[in-house]
Amino acid sequence: MKNIRHILLFFGLFNGVLTYSQSPNNDKVIAKKKKVGFYEWLEKKAMISVRKTFDGSSKDEGKPASFFWNKDFKNSDEEFVTVDFGIKIKELQVFSEPLLLLYPKFEWHKDGREDASKKKNDISGGVNIDFLPFTKLKMNPWFTGGADVQRDIVKELTTFKPKLFLSLFSTAQGLPGSNTTNCKHVFVLRYYPYTGIEHYKATDLTKVNATYWANRLFLEYWPITSPRQLKTYTDPVSNNDTTIALKDEKRYLQFTIDVSHRTKIEDKLFGRGNLYWLALGLNIYPDGKDKFGFGIEYTKGDDPASNFVETDKISLGIKVKL
Amino acid sequence: MPSKQRVSIDVRALIAEYANQPVINILATDILSDPPLSMNNTTLNFLTSRLREYIKSYRYSATIRASEVKRTNLTVKDLIDLVHGKF
């Protein structure tokens, strides 16, 4: 618990300093060179990205890394801290036509619960895949998936988890994957439906396994936004029209829904039936940027990041999109 | 081979389509992954495929990689320069 608090404090303070040093003066023209911070260096030079999770799809890439204080509804005396952390290392482009990308990743999900039946501490590593066989259709089917090896330290269980999902992408307003904008051309909505197969196999001597047909939906909605203000003027020297931004676009509030249902095909590993998962999130970004903010999240159901531990909790925390 | 101005017009049109923004709202200094364009990795992967097709229509031996388009803080101007540099 003490270690988690130190990590929380370190990232909270570090990101606070970073956000301050990188914030441009938004009332001035945006054509200014930004300082390159540690995280930018991390992504650009070391090719490492950090998010909450890279669990088989891009839906979670919009979710920042999070360091949460939690309250369990089922056990009101229990308060604890969690860490959800994912690192993606440089992606490999296997094919260009059609596009096939592989990227190795590492994830850590831990909480400080006292209740051993609900406690989680999982470390996983593996490879994610994105495959885009179509790109010119109005609605493009594409595939995402991967294979991980996950070590559940609490349950002392190591599993191999291959999975493959079909999703949709379109550029048309309101359709899956598109940047849906409001009447002032501010991005407000994006969602992805997924359907696919998940397979879990114990790596110990028992070799028991589980297979689920999984259907999920991720949606993000930005209800409170402020549009960018542009001004066009004619440069007296070159006599060309030039457009500048007088004010940056701001987005203050993000609402997320992550809902999934898993239909059991076979399960000799977890001994469960059909599974469901609901995560509702509300994030506030005080400076209108989506890199750093405060979040509240309600989760209920069978936690897919932790071998489907039954969960019903509310979480408060710092949201860090590095 | 297309002129720099031709490439600029074509690349801006593609960005506008994928970001769902009017072309006139797209500034050279806009970062692809940041507001107002807000293109995530999936969108940038699809954009890469279209850019690759565009580049190959002029020069078959040239190509563009997803990692080049997803480079951190890549601006519209950077992308236009990148595509033009392929010819």
Side-chain angles (χ1 to χ4, degrees), chain A residues 58-95:
Chain A
S58 62
K59 71 176 181 60
D60 287 321
E61 293 211 36
K63 282 187 175 180
S66 56
F67 305 94
F68 272 129
W69 170 87
N70 299 261
K71 183 95 172 173
D72 190 327
F73 280 135
K74 286 185 175 174
N75 183 355
S76 58
D77 292 333
E78 194 175 12
E79 295 175 7
F80 53 93
V81 175
T82 55
V83 173
D84 292 294
F85 202 73
I87 292 178
K88 182 175 84 174
I89 304 157
K90 184 181 179 179
E91 72 181 23
L92 307 168
Q93 187 165 320
V94 183
F95 298 118

Side-chain angles (χ1 to χ4, degrees), chain A residues 130-144:
Chain A
D130 283 344
F131 178 54
L132 282 55
F134 308 100
T135 55
K136 286 188 286 187
L137 305 175
K138 184 173 171 101
M139 186 78 82
N140 299 289
W142 64 285
F143 296 89
T144 184

Side-chain angles (χ1 to χ4, degrees), chain A residues 178-191:
Chain A
S178 78
N179 280 20
T180 298
T181 55
N182 64 15
C183 59
K184 292 177 180 170
H185 307 298
V186 179
F187 162 60
V188 291
L189 176 75
R190 182 160 49 208
Y191 67 95

Side-chain angles (χ1 to χ4, degrees), chain A residues 96-167:
Chain A
S96 294
E97 187 63 44
L99 188 64
L100 174 62
L101 298 169
L102 299 183
Y103 38 94
K105 57 155 193 177
F106 169 81
E107 294 192 18
W108 179 38
H109 303 280
K110 179 178 170 65
D111 68 30
R113 288 173 189 258
E114 300 297 327
D115 183 349
S117 67
K118 292 183 178 178
K119 195 172 185 171
K120 72 174 178 184
N121 189 3
D122 304 302
I123 295 172
S124 65
V127 178
N128 275 19
I129 296 170
D130 283 344
F131 178 54
L132 282 55
F134 308 100
T135 55
K136 286 188 286 187
L137 305 175
K138 184 173 171 101
M139 186 78 82
N140 299 289
W142 64 285
F143 296 89
T144 184
D148 302 353
V149 174
Q150 179 177 323
R151 176 65 180 168
D152 187 329
I153 294 165
V154 176
K155 292 179 180 167
E156 296 185 342
L157 173 67
T158 303
T159 46
F160 174 61
K161 304 192 303 183
K163 57 199 166 187
L164 186 66
F165 289 91
L166 169 69
S167 188

Side-chain angles (χ1 to χ4, degrees), chain A residues 270-315:
Chain A
F270 304 114
R272 306 288 299 275
N274 294 343
L275 305 167
Y276 75 98
W277 176 247
L278 173 69
L280 300 174
L282 190 67
N283 303 312
I284 298 165
Y285 300 94
D287 65 352
K289 307 285 182 187
D290 64 356
K291 303 288 186 194
F292 177 75
F294 306 96
I296 181 167
E297 186 174 55
Y298 173 68
T299 50
K300 186 174 175 60
D302 309 291
D303 187 352
S306 186
N307 288 329
F308 307 117
V309 170
E310 284 185 64
T311 305
D312 184 5
K313 71 177 183 188
I314 192 161
S315 312

